[in-house]
Amino acid sequence: MKNKYSIFSLIKNAFSNHENWQRAWRDPEPKKEYDAVIVGGGGHGLATAYYLAKKHNLTNIAVVEKGWIGGGNTGRNTTIIRSNYLWDASAGLYDHALKIWEGLSQELNYNVMFSQRGVMNLAHNLQDVRDLKRRTHANRLNGIDAVWLETDEVKKFCPIINTSQDIRYPVLGGTLQKRAGTARHDAVAWGYARGADEMGVDIIQNCEVKGIKRNGDAVEGLETTKGFIKTKKIGVVAAGHSSVIANMAGLKLPLESKPLQALVSEPVKPIIDTVVMSNAVHAYVSQSDKGELVIGAGTDSYVSYTQKGSFNIVEETLKAILELYPIFSRMKMLRQWGGIVDICPDASPIISKTSIKGLYFNCGWGTGGFKATPGSGDLFAHTIANDEPHKLNAAFNINRFVSGDLVDEHGAAAVAH
Amino acid sequence: MFLISCPYCGERDQSEFVSGGEAHIARPKQPTELNDDQWAEYLFMRKNIKGIQFERWNHVHGCRKWFNVARDTSNDKIEKIYKMGEQPPKI
Protein backbone atom coordinates (compact mmCIF):
# COMPACT_ATOMS: atom_id res chain seq x y z
CA MET A 1 0.00 0.00 0.00
CA LYS A 2 1.38 3.37 -0.98
CA ASN A 3 1.54 6.22 1.48
CA LYS A 4 -0.80 9.03 0.59
CA TYR A 5 0.81 12.25 -0.54
CA SER A 6 -0.45 15.21 1.49
CA ILE A 7 0.70 18.32 3.24
CA PHE A 8 1.33 16.17 6.32
CA SER A 9 3.53 13.66 4.50
CA LEU A 10 5.43 16.61 3.06
CA ILE A 11 6.06 18.08 6.50
CA LYS A 12 6.94 14.67 7.97
CA ASN A 13 9.49 13.97 5.24
CA ALA A 14 10.97 17.43 5.55
CA PHE A 15 12.27 16.39 8.99
CA SER A 16 14.34 13.62 7.40
CA ASN A 17 15.63 15.87 4.60
CA HIS A 18 13.30 14.16 2.10
CA GLU A 19 15.55 11.11 2.10
CA ASN A 20 12.96 8.57 3.24
CA TRP A 21 10.18 8.94 0.71
CA GLN A 22 8.63 5.65 -0.25
CA ARG A 23 9.46 4.41 -3.77
CA ALA A 24 6.79 5.57 -6.20
CA TRP A 25 6.97 2.32 -8.21
CA ARG A 26 8.90 -0.93 -8.05
CA ASP A 27 11.59 -2.00 -10.50
CA PRO A 28 10.57 -5.61 -11.19
CA GLU A 29 12.03 -8.19 -13.53
CA PRO A 30 9.52 -9.43 -16.10
CA LYS A 31 7.47 -12.51 -15.25
CA LYS A 32 7.25 -15.33 -17.78
CA GLU A 33 3.65 -14.59 -18.65
CA TYR A 34 1.14 -11.76 -18.35
CA ASP A 35 -2.54 -11.39 -19.23
CA ALA A 36 -1.63 -8.32 -21.27
CA VAL A 37 1.53 -6.36 -22.04
CA ILE A 38 1.62 -2.67 -22.96
CA VAL A 39 4.52 -1.69 -25.20
CA GLY A 40 5.62 1.85 -24.41
CA GLY A 41 5.89 3.52 -21.01
CA GLY A 42 4.85 7.01 -21.94
CA GLY A 43 1.79 8.78 -20.59
CA HIS A 44 -0.63 6.96 -22.90
CA GLY A 45 0.86 3.52 -22.16
CA LEU A 46 0.94 4.02 -18.42
CA ALA A 47 -2.59 5.43 -18.44
CA THR A 48 -3.72 2.37 -20.41
CA ALA A 49 -2.19 0.06 -17.79
CA TYR A 50 -3.71 2.11 -14.98
CA TYR A 51 -7.25 1.89 -16.41
CA LEU A 52 -6.85 -1.79 -17.35
CA ALA A 53 -6.12 -2.49 -13.69
CA LYS A 54 -8.58 -0.03 -12.23
CA LYS A 55 -11.65 -0.40 -14.44
CA HIS A 56 -11.21 -3.85 -15.93
CA ASN A 57 -9.51 -5.71 -13.05
CA LEU A 58 -6.63 -6.80 -15.24
CA THR A 59 -3.76 -6.59 -12.79
CA ASN A 60 -1.46 -9.33 -14.09
CA ILE A 61 -0.14 -6.98 -16.73
CA ALA A 62 3.11 -5.23 -17.56
CA VAL A 63 4.32 -2.09 -19.26
CA VAL A 64 7.61 -2.56 -21.12
CA GLU A 65 9.61 0.53 -21.94
CA LYS A 66 12.75 0.77 -24.06
CA GLY A 67 14.23 3.67 -22.06
CA TRP A 68 12.82 5.23 -18.94
CA ILE A 69 9.16 6.05 -18.41
CA GLY A 70 8.02 9.40 -19.71
CA GLY A 71 11.32 9.89 -21.56
CA GLY A 72 9.85 10.03 -25.05
CA ASN A 73 7.20 12.39 -26.31
CA THR A 74 5.59 12.59 -22.86
CA GLY A 75 8.62 14.55 -21.70
CA ARG A 76 9.08 16.44 -24.95
CA ASN A 77 5.74 18.07 -25.71
CA THR A 78 4.54 21.59 -24.94
CA THR A 79 1.87 20.32 -22.50
CA ILE A 80 -1.12 22.01 -24.13
CA ILE A 81 -4.52 20.55 -23.30
CA ARG A 82 -7.69 21.52 -25.16
CA SER A 83 -10.72 19.84 -26.71
CA ASN A 84 -11.97 22.39 -29.24
CA TYR A 85 -11.83 20.05 -32.23
CA LEU A 86 -14.10 20.43 -35.22
CA TRP A 87 -15.53 16.99 -35.91
CA ASP A 88 -17.96 15.24 -33.57
CA ALA A 89 -15.77 12.15 -33.18
CA SER A 90 -12.73 14.25 -32.21
CA ALA A 91 -14.76 16.48 -29.92
CA GLY A 92 -16.05 13.40 -28.11
CA LEU A 93 -12.58 11.92 -27.78
CA TYR A 94 -10.71 15.00 -26.63
CA ASP A 95 -13.43 16.30 -24.33
CA HIS A 96 -13.60 12.89 -22.67
CA ALA A 97 -9.91 13.37 -21.91
CA LEU A 98 -10.39 16.94 -20.72
CA LYS A 99 -13.10 15.83 -18.28
CA ILE A 100 -10.72 13.26 -16.79
CA TRP A 101 -7.96 15.89 -16.56
CA GLU A 102 -10.27 18.02 -14.41
CA GLY A 103 -10.20 15.49 -11.59
CA LEU A 104 -6.95 13.69 -12.32
CA SER A 105 -4.72 15.07 -9.55
CA GLN A 106 -7.27 14.01 -6.93
CA GLU A 107 -7.83 10.62 -8.51
CA LEU A 108 -4.13 9.80 -8.73
CA ASN A 109 -3.18 11.54 -5.46
CA TYR A 110 -0.46 13.08 -7.58
CA ASN A 111 -0.31 16.73 -8.51
CA VAL A 112 -0.30 16.84 -12.29
CA MET A 113 -0.46 20.64 -12.03
CA PHE A 114 -3.42 20.86 -14.41
CA SER A 115 -3.98 24.54 -14.97
CA GLN A 116 -7.09 25.70 -16.83
CA ARG A 117 -5.54 28.93 -18.00
CA GLY A 118 -7.34 28.91 -21.33
CA VAL A 119 -6.13 28.31 -24.87
CA MET A 120 -6.57 31.02 -27.46
CA ASN A 121 -6.29 30.30 -31.19
CA LEU A 122 -5.58 33.32 -33.40
CA ALA A 123 -6.96 34.09 -36.84
CA HIS A 124 -4.72 35.93 -39.29
CA ASN A 125 -6.69 35.97 -42.51
CA LEU A 126 -10.26 35.82 -43.71
CA GLN A 127 -10.21 32.05 -44.13
CA ASP A 128 -8.90 31.63 -40.57
CA VAL A 129 -11.77 33.81 -39.32
CA ARG A 130 -14.34 31.69 -41.16
CA ASP A 131 -12.76 28.38 -40.11
CA LEU A 132 -12.39 29.34 -36.48
CA LYS A 133 -15.91 30.74 -36.23
CA ARG A 134 -17.22 27.54 -37.77
CA ARG A 135 -15.20 25.55 -35.25
CA THR A 136 -16.57 27.64 -32.39
CA HIS A 137 -20.13 26.87 -33.46
CA ALA A 138 -19.32 23.18 -33.91
CA ASN A 139 -17.75 23.09 -30.43
CA ARG A 140 -20.78 24.69 -28.81
CA LEU A 141 -23.12 22.23 -30.51
CA ASN A 142 -20.99 19.49 -28.95
CA GLY A 143 -21.20 21.09 -25.50
CA ILE A 144 -17.59 22.27 -25.54
CA ASP A 145 -16.96 25.79 -24.25
CA ALA A 146 -15.73 28.07 -26.99
CA VAL A 147 -16.07 31.75 -27.68
CA TRP A 148 -15.08 33.98 -30.56
CA LEU A 149 -12.99 37.03 -29.66
CA GLU A 150 -12.65 40.16 -31.77
CA THR A 151 -9.18 41.70 -32.09
CA ASP A 152 -9.68 44.12 -29.18
CA GLU A 153 -10.89 41.25 -26.99
CA VAL A 154 -7.78 39.24 -27.94
CA LYS A 155 -5.67 42.20 -26.87
CA LYS A 156 -7.58 42.49 -23.62
CA PHE A 157 -7.18 38.79 -22.85
CA CYS A 158 -3.47 38.75 -23.67
CA PRO A 159 -2.12 42.31 -23.67
CA ILE A 160 1.39 41.49 -24.93
CA ILE A 161 0.14 40.39 -28.36
CA ASN A 162 0.91 42.82 -31.15
CA THR A 163 -2.52 43.52 -32.63
CA SER A 164 -1.34 46.22 -34.99
CA GLN A 165 -3.02 45.82 -38.37
CA ASP A 166 0.24 46.75 -40.09
CA ILE A 167 2.10 43.51 -39.45
CA ARG A 168 2.49 40.83 -42.13
CA TYR A 169 -0.16 38.56 -40.59
CA PRO A 170 -2.37 40.83 -38.48
CA VAL A 171 -4.53 39.38 -35.71
CA LEU A 172 -8.13 39.42 -36.97
CA GLY A 173 -9.61 37.74 -33.93
CA GLY A 174 -9.42 34.40 -32.20
CA THR A 175 -11.20 31.66 -30.32
CA LEU A 176 -10.91 30.93 -26.65
CA GLN A 177 -11.52 27.74 -24.74
CA LYS A 178 -11.38 28.63 -21.07
CA ARG A 179 -11.41 25.06 -19.77
CA ALA A 180 -8.27 24.33 -21.76
CA GLY A 181 -4.78 24.82 -20.38
CA THR A 182 -1.61 22.98 -19.50
CA ALA A 183 -0.34 20.27 -17.13
CA ARG A 184 3.00 19.05 -15.89
CA HIS A 185 3.93 16.34 -18.39
CA ASP A 186 6.37 14.30 -16.26
CA ALA A 187 3.92 14.24 -13.38
CA VAL A 188 1.31 12.65 -15.63
CA ALA A 189 3.61 9.73 -16.44
CA TRP A 190 4.78 9.42 -12.84
CA GLY A 191 1.27 9.70 -11.38
CA TYR A 192 -0.10 6.98 -13.65
CA ALA A 193 2.98 4.80 -13.05
CA ARG A 194 2.56 5.09 -9.30
CA GLY A 195 -1.17 4.37 -9.50
CA ALA A 196 -0.70 1.38 -11.82
CA ASP A 197 2.17 -0.02 -9.76
CA GLU A 198 0.04 0.10 -6.63
CA MET A 199 -2.53 -2.13 -8.30
CA GLY A 200 0.15 -4.66 -9.20
CA VAL A 201 1.15 -3.61 -12.71
CA ASP A 202 4.81 -4.38 -13.47
CA ILE A 203 6.56 -1.37 -15.00
CA ILE A 204 9.67 -2.71 -16.69
CA GLN A 205 12.11 -0.08 -17.88
CA ASN A 206 15.16 -0.55 -20.12
CA CYS A 207 13.34 -3.39 -21.82
CA GLU A 208 13.19 -3.04 -25.58
CA VAL A 209 10.82 -5.09 -27.71
CA LYS A 210 12.73 -6.94 -30.41
CA GLY A 211 10.02 -9.08 -31.94
CA ILE A 212 6.40 -10.14 -31.76
CA LYS A 213 5.75 -13.87 -31.82
CA ARG A 214 2.67 -14.91 -33.73
CA ASN A 215 0.87 -18.19 -33.98
CA GLY A 216 -1.11 -17.85 -37.15
CA ASP A 217 -3.54 -14.99 -36.69
CA ALA A 218 -2.95 -14.50 -32.97
CA VAL A 219 -0.11 -13.12 -30.87
CA GLU A 220 1.79 -15.41 -28.49
CA GLY A 221 4.24 -13.06 -26.88
CA LEU A 222 7.08 -10.60 -27.12
CA GLU A 223 10.80 -11.02 -27.65
CA THR A 224 12.49 -8.39 -25.50
CA THR A 225 15.99 -7.51 -24.36
CA LYS A 226 14.96 -9.06 -21.02
CA GLY A 227 13.83 -12.32 -22.58
CA PHE A 228 10.62 -13.74 -23.98
CA ILE A 229 7.35 -12.63 -22.38
CA LYS A 230 4.32 -14.77 -23.07
CA THR A 231 1.01 -12.96 -23.47
CA LYS A 232 -2.21 -13.18 -25.43
CA LYS A 233 -2.82 -9.43 -25.57
CA ILE A 234 -0.36 -6.77 -26.66
CA GLY A 235 -1.24 -3.09 -26.63
CA VAL A 236 1.26 -1.03 -28.58
CA VAL A 237 1.58 2.62 -27.58
CA ALA A 238 4.96 3.36 -29.12
CA ALA A 239 4.30 6.78 -30.71
CA GLY A 240 7.01 7.52 -33.30
CA HIS A 241 8.15 3.89 -33.31
CA SER A 242 4.69 2.39 -33.92
CA SER A 243 5.55 1.42 -37.50
CA VAL A 244 8.72 -0.32 -36.29
CA ILE A 245 6.71 -2.47 -33.86
CA ALA A 246 3.98 -3.07 -36.45
CA ASN A 247 6.61 -4.30 -38.87
CA MET A 248 7.64 -6.94 -36.31
CA ALA A 249 4.13 -8.36 -36.52
CA GLY A 250 4.01 -8.08 -40.30
CA LEU A 251 1.59 -5.15 -40.27
CA LYS A 252 1.78 -1.89 -42.17
CA LEU A 253 0.30 1.30 -40.72
CA PRO A 254 -0.75 4.55 -42.42
CA LEU A 255 1.86 6.50 -40.48
CA GLU A 256 4.83 8.71 -41.14
CA SER A 257 7.24 9.52 -38.30
CA LYS A 258 8.65 13.01 -38.31
CA PRO A 259 10.66 15.18 -35.94
CA LEU A 260 8.68 17.83 -34.07
CA GLN A 261 10.60 20.48 -32.18
CA ALA A 262 10.01 22.60 -29.13
CA LEU A 263 12.12 25.05 -27.21
CA VAL A 264 12.13 26.95 -23.94
CA SER A 265 13.55 30.32 -23.05
CA GLU A 266 15.41 31.44 -19.97
CA PRO A 267 13.00 31.78 -17.03
CA VAL A 268 11.40 35.18 -16.53
CA LYS A 269 8.69 36.64 -14.30
CA PRO A 270 5.05 35.91 -15.23
CA ILE A 271 4.30 37.60 -18.53
CA ILE A 272 1.77 35.38 -20.30
CA ASP A 273 -0.92 33.65 -18.23
CA THR A 274 -2.60 31.69 -20.99
CA VAL A 275 -1.71 29.57 -24.02
CA VAL A 276 -1.76 31.29 -27.39
CA MET A 277 -1.66 29.25 -30.57
CA SER A 278 -1.46 30.58 -34.05
CA ASN A 279 -1.82 28.04 -36.82
CA ALA A 280 -1.35 30.34 -39.78
CA VAL A 281 2.10 31.59 -38.76
CA HIS A 282 2.81 28.47 -36.73
CA ALA A 283 3.73 29.92 -33.40
CA TYR A 284 2.45 28.84 -30.06
CA VAL A 285 3.58 29.93 -26.69
CA SER A 286 2.81 29.55 -23.01
CA GLN A 287 4.79 30.04 -19.83
CA SER A 288 5.79 27.23 -17.51
CA ASP A 289 5.53 27.52 -13.74
CA LYS A 290 9.31 27.88 -13.68
CA GLY A 291 8.92 30.98 -15.84
CA GLU A 292 10.29 29.64 -19.11
CA LEU A 293 8.44 30.46 -22.29
CA VAL A 294 7.44 27.14 -23.81
CA ILE A 295 7.40 27.39 -27.59
CA GLY A 296 6.22 24.78 -30.05
CA ALA A 297 7.68 24.65 -33.55
CA GLY A 298 6.62 22.62 -36.55
CA THR A 299 7.45 19.24 -38.00
CA ASP A 300 10.04 18.61 -40.66
CA SER A 301 8.76 17.48 -44.04
CA TYR A 302 10.74 14.23 -44.04
CA VAL A 303 10.61 10.95 -42.15
CA SER A 304 13.25 10.74 -39.46
CA TYR A 305 13.82 8.98 -36.15
CA THR A 306 16.62 11.24 -34.98
CA GLN A 307 14.76 13.21 -32.26
CA LYS A 308 16.20 16.44 -33.62
CA GLY A 309 14.84 18.69 -36.29
CA SER A 310 16.05 21.24 -38.76
CA PHE A 311 17.18 24.66 -37.67
CA ASN A 312 15.10 26.50 -40.25
CA ILE A 313 11.92 25.15 -38.61
CA VAL A 314 12.87 26.77 -35.30
CA GLU A 315 13.88 29.95 -37.10
CA GLU A 316 10.46 30.24 -38.78
CA THR A 317 8.63 29.78 -35.51
CA LEU A 318 10.74 32.36 -33.72
CA LYS A 319 10.22 34.88 -36.52
CA ALA A 320 6.48 34.55 -36.05
CA ILE A 321 6.76 34.71 -32.26
CA LEU A 322 8.75 37.93 -32.50
CA GLU A 323 6.28 39.59 -34.81
CA LEU A 324 3.38 38.68 -32.55
CA TYR A 325 5.23 39.41 -29.30
CA PRO A 326 7.84 42.15 -29.85
CA ILE A 327 8.37 42.15 -26.06
CA PHE A 328 10.26 38.85 -26.40
CA SER A 329 12.87 40.25 -28.78
CA ARG A 330 15.72 40.12 -26.28
CA MET A 331 14.81 36.79 -24.68
CA LYS A 332 17.42 34.05 -24.87
CA MET A 333 16.40 30.55 -25.76
CA LEU A 334 17.72 28.03 -23.28
CA ARG A 335 17.05 24.59 -24.73
CA GLN A 336 15.73 23.08 -27.93
CA TRP A 337 14.82 19.46 -28.62
CA GLY A 338 12.88 17.17 -30.91
CA GLY A 339 10.54 14.24 -30.55
CA ILE A 340 9.37 11.77 -33.17
CA VAL A 341 5.67 12.06 -33.90
CA ASP A 342 3.68 9.50 -35.86
CA ILE A 343 1.27 11.27 -38.17
CA CYS A 344 -1.82 9.77 -39.79
CA PRO A 345 -2.98 11.04 -43.19
CA ASP A 346 -6.06 12.58 -41.51
CA ALA A 347 -4.18 13.84 -38.42
CA SER A 348 -6.43 11.79 -36.15
CA PRO A 349 -5.25 8.95 -33.95
CA ILE A 350 -5.75 5.20 -34.25
CA ILE A 351 -7.09 3.41 -31.14
CA SER A 352 -7.94 0.08 -32.57
CA LYS A 353 -7.90 -3.66 -32.87
CA THR A 354 -5.92 -5.03 -35.79
CA SER A 355 -6.24 -7.95 -38.19
CA ILE A 356 -4.09 -9.96 -35.75
CA LYS A 357 -5.94 -11.33 -32.74
CA GLY A 358 -4.68 -9.88 -29.48
CA LEU A 359 -2.70 -7.08 -31.09
CA TYR A 360 -3.95 -3.56 -30.47
CA PHE A 361 -2.53 -0.23 -31.56
CA ASN A 362 -2.87 3.19 -30.02
CA CYS A 363 -0.90 5.48 -32.31
CA GLY A 364 -1.06 8.25 -34.87
CA TRP A 365 -1.43 11.01 -32.29
CA GLY A 366 0.90 13.09 -34.39
CA THR A 367 1.70 16.49 -33.00
CA GLY A 368 -1.08 16.58 -30.42
CA GLY A 369 -1.23 13.51 -28.21
CA PHE A 370 -0.40 14.85 -24.77
CA LYS A 371 -3.80 16.49 -24.26
CA ALA A 372 -5.54 13.18 -24.79
CA THR A 373 -3.41 11.10 -22.40
CA PRO A 374 -6.10 10.19 -19.82
CA GLY A 375 -8.86 9.65 -22.38
CA SER A 376 -6.60 7.70 -24.68
CA GLY A 377 -5.55 5.39 -21.86
CA ASP A 378 -9.13 4.91 -20.70
CA LEU A 379 -10.48 4.09 -24.17
CA PHE A 380 -7.53 1.92 -25.18
CA ALA A 381 -7.90 -0.06 -21.94
CA HIS A 382 -11.59 -0.56 -22.78
CA THR A 383 -10.67 -1.72 -26.30
CA ILE A 384 -8.08 -4.21 -25.03
CA ALA A 385 -10.20 -5.56 -22.17
CA ASN A 386 -13.37 -6.05 -24.22
CA ASP A 387 -11.76 -6.73 -27.59
CA GLU A 388 -14.18 -4.07 -28.84
CA PRO A 389 -13.82 -0.30 -29.06
CA HIS A 390 -15.69 2.05 -26.74
CA LYS A 391 -18.23 4.18 -28.62
CA LEU A 392 -15.94 7.20 -28.20
CA ASN A 393 -13.06 5.57 -30.09
CA ALA A 394 -15.09 3.51 -32.56
CA ALA A 395 -14.47 6.10 -35.28
CA PHE A 396 -10.72 5.91 -34.68
CA ASN A 397 -10.36 2.37 -35.94
CA ILE A 398 -7.64 1.36 -38.36
CA ASN A 399 -10.20 0.27 -40.93
CA ARG A 400 -11.22 3.86 -41.66
CA PHE A 401 -8.36 4.04 -44.14
CA VAL A 402 -10.03 1.25 -46.12
CA SER A 403 -13.62 2.43 -45.76
CA GLY A 404 -12.66 6.06 -46.41
CA ASP A 405 -14.47 7.24 -43.29
CA LEU A 406 -11.62 9.54 -42.23
CA VAL A 407 -11.73 12.00 -39.33
CA ASP A 408 -10.04 14.79 -41.18
CA GLU A 409 -8.64 17.09 -38.54
CA HIS A 410 -5.78 18.15 -40.82
CA GLY A 411 -8.04 20.69 -42.42
CA ALA A 412 -9.72 21.56 -39.16
CA ALA A 413 -6.80 21.81 -36.76
CA ALA A 414 -4.20 22.84 -39.33
CA VAL A 415 -0.61 22.38 -38.23
CA ALA A 416 -0.55 23.29 -34.58
CA HIS A 417 -2.35 20.45 -32.93
CA MET B 1 19.39 19.15 -40.71
CA PHE B 2 21.63 17.89 -43.47
CA LEU B 3 22.92 18.59 -46.96
CA ILE B 4 21.47 17.04 -50.08
CA SER B 5 23.37 16.71 -53.32
CA CYS B 6 20.85 17.57 -56.02
CA PRO B 7 21.73 15.57 -59.14
CA TYR B 8 21.16 18.72 -61.19
CA CYS B 9 22.44 21.57 -58.97
CA GLY B 10 24.94 20.01 -56.57
CA GLU B 11 25.13 20.16 -52.79
CA ARG B 12 22.56 22.38 -51.08
CA ASP B 13 20.99 22.77 -47.66
CA GLN B 14 18.08 20.44 -46.94
CA SER B 15 15.81 23.45 -46.36
CA GLU B 16 15.88 24.09 -50.14
CA PHE B 17 14.18 20.73 -50.68
CA VAL B 18 10.88 19.18 -49.80
CA SER B 19 10.38 15.51 -49.10
CA GLY B 20 7.80 13.72 -51.22
CA GLY B 21 7.70 10.65 -49.01
CA GLU B 22 8.25 7.00 -49.81
CA ALA B 23 9.47 6.27 -53.35
CA HIS B 24 8.57 3.50 -55.76
CA ILE B 25 4.86 3.46 -54.98
CA ALA B 26 3.53 3.02 -58.48
CA ARG B 27 0.13 4.37 -59.39
CA PRO B 28 -2.15 1.40 -60.16
CA LYS B 29 -2.35 0.67 -63.87
CA GLN B 30 -6.02 -0.30 -63.67
CA PRO B 31 -7.48 1.83 -60.85
CA THR B 32 -11.03 0.63 -61.50
CA GLU B 33 -10.03 -2.95 -60.76
CA LEU B 34 -8.67 -2.25 -57.28
CA ASN B 35 -10.67 -3.24 -54.23
CA ASP B 36 -10.84 -1.04 -51.11
CA ASP B 37 -7.94 -2.81 -49.39
CA GLN B 38 -5.69 -2.29 -52.38
CA TRP B 39 -6.66 1.38 -52.58
CA ALA B 40 -5.91 1.86 -48.89
CA GLU B 41 -2.55 0.19 -49.40
CA TYR B 42 -1.72 2.48 -52.32
CA LEU B 43 -3.04 5.71 -50.79
CA PHE B 44 -2.26 5.47 -47.11
CA MET B 45 -0.09 2.58 -45.96
CA ARG B 46 3.59 3.44 -45.62
CA LYS B 47 6.67 1.46 -44.66
CA ASN B 48 7.91 4.33 -42.48
CA ILE B 49 11.22 2.55 -42.06
CA LYS B 50 13.71 3.20 -39.29
CA GLY B 51 16.86 2.59 -41.30
CA ILE B 52 17.47 2.89 -45.02
CA GLN B 53 14.42 4.27 -46.74
CA PHE B 54 13.97 5.05 -50.43
CA GLU B 55 12.19 8.35 -50.86
CA ARG B 56 11.41 11.13 -53.32
CA TRP B 57 12.69 14.66 -52.91
CA ASN B 58 12.03 17.83 -54.84
CA HIS B 59 14.48 20.71 -55.12
CA VAL B 60 11.61 23.11 -54.61
CA HIS B 61 13.72 26.24 -54.06
CA GLY B 62 16.13 25.35 -56.86
CA CYS B 63 15.64 23.51 -60.12
CA ARG B 64 12.24 22.15 -58.99
CA LYS B 65 13.16 18.70 -60.25
CA TRP B 66 12.26 15.42 -58.54
CA PHE B 67 14.79 12.71 -57.74
CA ASN B 68 15.21 9.71 -55.43
CA VAL B 69 17.24 9.45 -52.25
CA ALA B 70 18.25 6.42 -50.19
CA ARG B 71 18.53 7.80 -46.66
CA ASP B 72 19.06 6.24 -43.26
CA THR B 73 16.20 7.67 -41.21
CA SER B 74 17.87 6.69 -37.94
CA ASN B 75 20.71 9.20 -38.48
CA ASP B 76 19.67 11.20 -41.58
CA LYS B 77 22.74 9.98 -43.48
CA ILE B 78 22.22 9.90 -47.24
CA GLU B 79 23.51 6.68 -48.81
CA LYS B 80 22.67 7.23 -52.45
CA ILE B 81 20.97 9.73 -54.75
CA TYR B 82 19.52 8.53 -58.02
CA LYS B 83 17.20 9.87 -60.70
CA MET B 84 13.49 9.31 -61.13
CA GLY B 85 12.70 6.18 -63.06
CA GLU B 86 15.83 4.38 -61.89
CA GLN B 87 15.62 1.23 -59.80
CA PRO B 88 16.47 1.49 -56.08
CA PRO B 89 20.12 0.63 -55.39
CA LYS B 90 21.04 -2.44 -53.37
CA ILE B 91 22.24 -1.25 -49.94
Side-chain angles (χ1 to χ4, degrees):
Chain A
M1 188 65 193
K2 296 244 189 305
N3 295 335
K4 199 168 152 53
Y5 290 152
S6 66
I7 183 78
F8 304 108
S9 68
L10 191 63
I11 294 167
K12 190 180 140 215
N13 280 282
F15 286 111
S16 55
N17 297 318
H18 296 292
E19 285 170 359
N20 296 321
W21 283 99
Q22 186 189 26
R23 269 194 91 119
W25 53 84
R26 297 161 293 128
D27 189 18
E29 284 302 308
K31 289 186 221 164
K32 287 210 160 44
E33 184 173 358
Y34 289 99
D35 293 338
V37 176
I38 305 300
V39 179
H44 290 241
L46 293 163
T48 304
Y50 175 85
Y51 292 113
L52 273 175
K54 191 178 177 199
K55 287 184 151 181
H56 306 282
N57 294 321
L58 268 174
T59 52
N60 181 32
I61 61 174
V63 178
V64 293
E65 162 59 45
K66 177 170 69 170
W68 61 92
I69 59 167
N73 293 349
T74 302
R76 291 165 190 268
N77 63 80
T78 50
T79 79
I80 298 168
I81 294 163
R82 61 184 181 89
S83 65
N84 53 354
Y85 279 72
L86 177 68
W87 302 112
D88 293 350
S90 315
L93 176 67
Y94 291 102
D95 210 51
H96 177 61
L98 183 51
K99 283 180 189 134
I100 304 177
W101 277 114
E102 286 171 332
L104 192 61
S105 291
Q106 287 73 21
E107 184 186 337
L108 294 177
N109 178 228
Y110 205 102
N111 188 2
V112 298
M113 295 164 76
F114 180 50
S115 159
Q116 291 176 295
R117 58 184 67 183
V119 169
M120 186 161 66
N121 289 84
L122 300 181
H124 296 276
N125 54 51
L126 190 58
Q127 193 59 46
D128 275 1
V129 172
R130 288 172 179 151
D131 288 346
L132 289 182
K133 279 188 175 168
R134 178 191 179 204
R135 202 171 82 184
T136 309
H137 296 314
N139 290 157
R140 293 170 75 153
L141 286 171
N142 276 319
I144 292 168
D145 66 308
V147 286
W148 170 258
L149 303 178
E150 296 296 339
T151 307
D152 57 325
E153 293 168 307
V154 168
K155 182 79 178 168
K156 205 173 154 203
F157 187 68
C158 184
I160 60 169
I161 294 183
N162 178 7
T163 51
S164 158
Q165 295 303 298
D166 295 333
I167 61 177
R168 176 66 185 85
Y169 297 103
V171 177
L172 301 182
T175 66
L176 174 64
Q177 185 182 19
K178 284 196 171 164
R179 281 164 65 230
T182 60
R184 174 92 180 106
H185 46 12
D186 298 322
V188 179
W190 298 336
Y192 274 123
R194 180 170 172 264
D197 180 88
E198 185 171 10
M199 292 182 283
V201 176
D202 282 355
I203 296 164
I204 303 156
Q205 303 184 72
N206 298 309
C207 180
E208 185 177 351
V209 171
K210 290 290 189 188
I212 291 176
K213 195 174 171 205
R214 278 173 63 175
N215 179 9
D217 283 342
V219 295
E220 277 198 328
L222 289 160
E223 298 287 353
T224 76
T225 49
K226 292 195 175 184
F228 181 73
I229 302 173
K230 197 175 165 194
T231 184
K232 288 198 170 69
K233 287 189 173 189
I234 300 171
V236 182
V237 205
H241 281 70
S242 297
S243 297
V244 177
I245 306 276
N247 189 34
M248 293 174 188
L251 271 185
K252 225 163 141 188
L253 296 172
L255 296 174
E256 284 194 311
S257 296
K258 296 176 175 179
L260 175 69
Q261 295 178 81
L263 54 161
V264 294
S265 73
E266 57 191 335
V268 290
K269 286 185 179 174
I271 181 72
I272 178 165
D273 63 356
T274 184
V275 183
V276 185
M277 308 176 68
S278 171
N279 291 353
V281 296
H282 205 193
Y284 48 107
V285 63
S286 62
Q287 190 171 18
S288 74
D289 291 355
K290 280 187 284 184
E292 303 154 326
L293 295 180
V294 182
I295 295 170
T299 51
D300 279 294
S301 71
Y302 51 88
V303 169
S304 179
Y305 287 84
T306 56
Q307 290 191 326
K308 59 187 178 191
S310 302
F311 194 69
N312 57 306
I313 302 281
V314 173
E315 203 176 7
E316 264 168 44
T317 290
L318 288 178
K319 271 187 210 162
I321 293 271
L322 287 190
E323 184 161 80
L324 278 177
Y325 310 91
I327 193 174
F328 296 152
S329 65
R330 289 192 227 170
M331 294 276 288
K332 291 187 178 72
M333 290 300 138
L334 205 62
R335 288 178 291 125
Q336 168 274 346
W337 64 91
I340 302 304
V341 297
D342 45 327
I343 303 174
C344 270
D346 59 356
S348 285
I350 295 166
I351 313 171
S352 180
K353 301 202 285 187
T354 64
S355 54
I356 300 166
K357 192 171 159 38
L359 185 64
Y360 307 84
F361 269 87
N362 183 352
C363 59
W365 289 95
T367 58
F370 175 73
K371 65 173 79 69
T373 305
S376 155
D378 182 31
L379 299 173
F380 195 42
H382 181 100
T383 307
I384 293 173
N386 298 302
D387 198 37
E388 280 300 324
H390 186 278
K391 68 179 191 320
L392 286 174
N393 68 307
F396 298 95
N397 64 71
I398 206 164
N399 206 42
R400 72 178 189 266
F401 297 97
V402 176
S403 68
D405 195 8
L406 304 181
V407 188
D408 186 11
E409 288 292 343
H410 246 317
V415 276
H417 210 307
Chain B
M1 186 154 208
F2 45 89
L3 297 171
I4 298 175
S5 208
C6 171
Y8 307 98
C9 310
E11 198 169 69
R12 301 291 177 86
D13 194 285
Q14 173 266 315
S15 61
E16 286 190 19
F17 300 82
V18 67
S19 169
E22 192 180 320
H24 309 297
I25 301 175
R27 189 177 164 79
K29 286 210 171 76
Q30 296 288 347
T32 47
E33 286 172 18
L34 260 53
N35 62 31
D36 288 351
D37 283 320
Q38 289 165 322
W39 262 120
E41 177 74 20
Y42 166 68
L43 280 178
F44 298 125
M45 300 303 163
R46 294 294 176 264
K47 288 183 189 151
N48 198 24
I49 291 167
K50 184 180 187 179
I52 306 242
Q53 166 160 296
F54 302 111
E55 50 194 23
R56 300 170 304 167
W57 283 78
N58 184 277
H59 193 184
V60 69
H61 298 301
C63 62
R64 300 186 58 80
K65 285 190 177 128
W66 286 94
F67 55 94
N68 291 315
V69 173
R71 186 174 57 93
D72 189 336
T73 59
S74 66
N75 57 18
D76 288 343
K77 198 175 154 229
I78 291 173
E79 300 287 338
K80 182 94 182 163
I81 289 177
Y82 55 105
K83 292 186 178 172
M84 294 307 275
E86 290 179 15
Q87 289 302 306
K90 287 201 166 53
I91 296 173

